[in-house]
Each structure stands twice: as C-alpha cells, then as structure tokens.
Amino acid sequence: MKIGILSGGGDAPGINAVVRAVVRKAILEYDYEVIGIRDGWRGLLEGSFIPLDLNKTAGILPRGGSILGTSRTNPFGREDGPKDVLKNMKEQGIGAVVVIGGDDTLGVAQRLFEKGLNCVGVPKTIDNDLVGTDYTFGFHTAVSIACKALDQLHTTAEAHHRVMILEVMGRRSGWIAFEAGLAGGADAILIPEKPFTIEEICEIIRRRQKRGRYFSLVVVAEGAKPEGGQEIVYSKGVDEFGNLRLGGVGYYLGREIEKKMSIETRVVVLGHLQRGGSPVASDRVLATRYGIGAINLVHEGKFGRMVALRGNDIVSIPLKRVVGKQKKLDLKLYEVAKVFFA
Ligand code: F6P
C-alpha cells in the first residue's frame, strides 16, 4: 500500500520525528511505500508530493519545522475542495493518509473520513489544547523555551526593579503560560480560561514591593482577556478556519500597570521563537511513539482515529470525539500556581 503523510496548521517541534518514525516502520516492517504531501491539505488539493524513503528521512529527528511544509489550507473552503482531495489521492494511488495536525487540520480529516478518506490523526500543537490526549507533541519544547526566557528576564527585571511581562502563545488555553510560569517562578500567570483584572495584578506587585521585592514577572497567554472584555487582536483578518490573529495583550497590560502604579514595565512577546528550533528529548520520544502508533493504526485498518497518550500508553480514539473541542487548563492546576502569586 502507498501511505501519504501531511502536516497542517502551525508547525510544532517534533513533526519530523513523526515523519521519520512513520517512514521507518512503514517501509521496514510493513513493506509500504510512503509519500509526503506538501504543505498540509494544500498538497492534496493541488497534487504536490515529495517521495520519502529511509535516506530522505535520515538525520531529521532533531530538526524543527516540517520537511513536508505546512499551511492552514482548508479544502472545505474551496469550491470542489473535498472532491479534488479524493481525486488526487486516487490518482497518486494513496491508500491511506497520516494527518499530523491540531484541531483545524484534524477537523478536515474527520470530515473527509466521512466522505471515504482512509486517514489516521497525530495530535500536534504547541498549545496542548487537543482533547483526548494527555499531551500533544511540541508542547514541552515550547514550555522549555518560555521557561528559559523567564529565567533570563528574571535577572534583568531584578536589576532594574521593573515589571517584566512575557506574552506566550495559547489562543484558547493557558497550558504554555501555566507550565512555563510555574517552572520559571512567575509572580502572576494570566490565561484565557480565567479573565483578569488589572487591579488584581497591581495588588500582587504591591504585595511584593511591601516585602522588599521591587520587581515582578508576569506571564500572559495571548488569548487572555480582561474581565468583561475581548481577546486582543493583532489584525482584523482571520485564516481559512476563521481563527483570529491574536497578539498585544502583553503591551495592553504593560500600559495599564504603568498608568496605575509608579513602576517601569517592559514587555517581551515570545512569538514564534517558542515554535521554532529543535524539539526537546521528551517531544522527540512522544512524536516518535505517535508515528509508530499511527502507522500501526493504518496497518490494522483503524481509520478515522487519532493516536493519543494516556498515562504512559499510546492508545487511539475516534477523531470525532476530538475535533471541535478544546482542552482547557484544569483550574485545579491553576490553584497550585496561585500559591506563588504573592
Ligand atoms: O498553533 C497554534 C498557535 O501556536 C497559536 O497559539 C497561535 O495563535 C498561532 O499558532 C499562531 O500561528 P501563526 O502565526 O503561524 O498563524
């Protein structure tokens, strides 16, 4: 059988580790052929492919990005999109597709599965906001980059007696902000799940000043919003899945804190630094295990399912139980972090 593999949506460190694992196991154990599909669903819409073999995937384990490329193309937003995808698959002789993606990309996989596409999903997003799995790959790399950024901001914040605000990714969930903030000793963590008030942040800063701590570190997820307000958007447009481009909540906070308190504030937007570069070891391991799990699902003919991590086991669940939902940060975990907001 010929297997296609694609990565869609925002990249996440570890995509290449999934590709490598799928190719190895598919060729060496199942005697399948594997073909790469370029730039997510766009490759299947436009018929753009890369042949893959053991040598083409050698040495890619530590590489960030995706050797396949990625895009936020939505075939359901194009006239005859789903038809073209199925036609191109047939023409290429592709029997099944391994789809590496987050909610949008896997949502397309589920809808195409209902139209007859044999596919299996691999959960990818630095945001860790997919339901049904304990972790998505890429998340731990993003957390470790954000934690390192906090460590570095810590020393300069302390030297200058400033408030430092670090804005991290996390459109609808605060996983990165929470874990990086907890690991990096943040004095306040703001997440989309819990609207904030400027007053509560100023209160934390004042409490610290009273005990002689004249600097504070605040981590904010890009999707965090003020009580009664909206997320702060960078620009008005939306992508093919209707996602807003968020950004700027850090600057909003910085300005508001300076208005209310006589303390200098600086803002760092970590942006795509937290998505680029080499995956940490735990993401390489998880991505590799997902890749092996995905090709096993293909071999067993278990289509329309996504590999998932439960405890220390790789399991699978139907895509329809995953898509269109978001795994929010458990507020019990947030209570742990709040102990340190003082
Ligand atoms: O992949 C999800 C994500 O990391 C979000 O947290 C963020 O809003 C988005 O990607 C930004 O992606 P891009 O700038 O590539 O559109």
Side-chain angles (χ1 to χ4, degrees), residues 9-11 72 124-127 169-172 176 222 239 244-246 272 275:
D11 65 339
R72 297 193 192 274
K124 165 234 60 136
T125 161
I126 64 162
D127 293 1
M169 284 188 177
R171 212 181 249 158
R172 298 182 196 96
I176 299 177
E222 60 183 354
D239 68 17
L244 284 163
R245 198 159 147 207
L246 300 181
H272 296 78
R275 234 167 59 185

Side-chain angles (χ1 to χ4, degrees), residues 21 27 42 50 55 64 67 72 99 156 160 175 183 187 196 220 237-238 240 256 271 282 313 321 325 330 342:
I27 294 177
R42 189 195 297 154
I50 329 178
N55 285 348
I67 62 161
R72 297 193 192 274
V99 180
T156 173
H160 284 268
W175 287 96
D187 304 301
F196 61 83
V220 59
V238 290
E240 292 192 28
E256 292 301 310
S282 59
D313 294 325
R321 282 181 33 207
K325 302 181 181 140
D330 182 345

Side-chain angles (χ1 to χ4, degrees), residues 163-224:
V163 174
M164 279 286 176
I165 297 169
L166 179 68
E167 181 180 314
V168 297
M169 284 188 177
R171 212 181 249 158
R172 298 182 196 96
S173 77
W175 287 96
I176 299 177
F178 166 73
E179 287 213 4
L182 193 62
D187 304 301
I189 301 173
L190 308 178
I191 55 173
E193 291 84 345
K194 207 178 167 305
F196 61 83
T197 64
I198 298 295
E199 191 40 42
E200 69 188 321
I201 304 156
C202 291
E203 193 42 43
I204 292 170
I205 298 167
R206 271 187 223 113
R207 280 204 301 267
R208 285 176 55 75
Q209 287 175 331
K210 273 191 201 135
R211 61 185 180 89
R213 307 294 279 163
Y214 296 108
F215 72 97
S216 293
L217 289 175
V218 179
V219 184
V220 59
E222 60 183 354

Side-chain angles (χ1 to χ4, degrees), residues 5-12 14-15 18-19 40-41 66 68-73 97-110 120-131 133 135-138 241 290 294 305-307 319 322-323 325:
I5 181 164
L6 67 82
S7 55
D11 65 339
I15 292 177
V18 178
V19 175
W41 291 112
S66 170
L68 306 174
T70 185
S71 74
R72 297 193 192 274
T73 304
V97 185
V98 175
V99 180
I100 308 169
D103 187 44
D104 294 330
T105 305
L106 296 177
V108 170
Q110 167 59 23
V120 301
V122 176
K124 165 234 60 136
T125 161
I126 64 162
D127 293 1
N128 195 37
D129 61 354
L130 272 178
V131 302
T133 187
Y135 288 104
T136 53
F137 75 83
F241 291 92
Y290 279 156
R305 300 182 74 84
M306 180 188 85
V307 288
L319 277 169
V322 174
V323 299
K325 302 181 181 140

Side-chain angles (χ1 to χ4, degrees), residues 11 25 28 49 57 127 143 164 224 239 250 279 335:
D11 65 339
K25 179 106 180 168
L28 294 178
F49 304 99
T57 53
D127 293 1
V143 168
M164 279 286 176
D239 68 17
E335 289 302 311

